[in-house]
Amino acid sequence: MKTALAPDLRAFMSVALRRQGVVGAIAPSSPSLARALTAVVPTSGTPVVVELGPGTGSISEAIRERLSPGARHLAVEIEPDLVTHLRRTKPWMETIHGDAADLGALLARAGVDRVDAVVSTLPWSLFPGRRQERILGEVGRVLAPTGAFTTVTYLHAVPLAGARALRRRLRSAFDEVLTTGPVWRNLPPGMAYVCRRPVAGV
Ligand SMILES: C[S@@+](CC[C@H](N)C(=O)[O-])C[C@H]1O[C@@H](n2cnc3c(N)ncnc32)[C@H](O)[C@@H]1O
């Protein structure tokens, strides 16, 4: 019997099963989580929005819904198969093949030096502390003073040492770190961190 998985889900599962050490999730984010993460994306003007770890694009669609014509939407993805999938299925987005740890250089190559919102679903728990700090530093350097950075944490992981360490790093990197309410309609349930005003020199 043939399975009728949607193309995005099929692509996600195919990479996630082979590369769990890079993807770090069992399913794509739900529309509810995508809405919580993308509420910081300006709905007017011509902002520059960057997505880190777009996967098969479940967050990308929510970003696109908020953007007006003339805005830029760049997405940095490290997995080559997912980059190919995104370029084919979401040609309206500027998909960059690269590592979020090199964000500043990747954006400079794309002619971008200031970003209004950065939305991340990177698998933080898979990264050593130094790598987390490097990525947060890169985000802080490209974010406009009025910009915002959002990222996700899963509810079951909140009490764990790794998640506590990430929270500490977020609080060192940003002057304001807020959390949204729980998003139950996601596998697994999660919530978003909303961070503003990067601390200089982190
Ligand atoms: C948890 S999945 C999220 C996928 C999708 N955005 C979603 O919410 O369903 C994490 C994604 O981050 C990508 N990724 C992991 N490390 C990365 C890095 N250093 N730079 C850019 N992307 C990375 C993975 O390949 C994967 O697509």
Side-chain angles (χ1 to χ4, degrees):
M1 196 176 79
K2 271 193 175 175
T3 48
L5 284 180
D8 281 355
L9 185 57
R10 201 165 51 230
F12 186 96
M13 289 307 183
S14 152
V15 179
L17 290 173
R18 281 183 287 118
R19 305 275 291 147
Q20 193 48 220
V22 176
V23 173
I26 52 172
S29 298
S30 68
S32 303
L33 184 60
R35 271 193 299 279
L37 284 165
T38 59
V40 297
V41 172
T43 52
S44 60
T46 53
V48 178
V49 178
V50 170
E51 193 181 344
L52 301 179
T56 46
S58 45
I59 307 291
S60 319
E61 296 286 354
I63 292 174
R64 185 191 193 199
E65 278 169 22
R66 295 180 67 85
L67 290 178
S68 306
R72 282 186 78 176
H73 178 178
L74 303 100
V76 178
E77 172 56 56
I78 204 166
E79 265 301 310
D81 288 355
L82 293 173
V83 169
T84 304
H85 177 82
L86 288 166
R87 286 185 178 149
R88 187 165 44 79
T89 59
K90 290 153 186 47
W92 33 265
M93 181 167 84
E94 298 175 59
T95 301
I96 298 173
H97 182 205
D99 184 340
D102 301 323
L103 184 62
L106 296 172
L107 292 181
R109 241 174 273 150
V112 170
D113 61 356
R114 269 289 171 271
V115 174
D116 299 287
V118 178
V119 178
S120 158
T121 48
L122 290 173
W124 295 107
S125 63
L126 300 178
F127 300 154
R130 297 276 294 270
R131 191 163 169 74
Q132 294 184 359
E133 281 162 13
R134 176 166 166 188
I135 295 173
L136 292 175
E138 292 281 313
V139 170
R141 279 186 286 282
V142 298
L143 205 58
T146 53
F149 167 68
T150 59
T151 192
V152 62
T153 187
Y154 298 117
L155 294 188
H156 66 271
V158 166
L160 303 181
R164 289 206 308 273
L166 175 64
R167 270 199 303 282
R168 272 200 306 278
R169 292 195 177 96
L170 289 172
R171 288 188 184 124
S172 315
F174 294 92
D175 185 34
E176 179 182 89
V177 178
L178 304 175
T179 48
T180 63
V183 179
W184 298 109
R185 286 176 181 226
N186 191 68
L187 191 65
M191 64 182 183
Y193 290 116
V194 182
C195 311
R196 295 180 198 276
R197 299 187 297 280
V199 173
V202 171

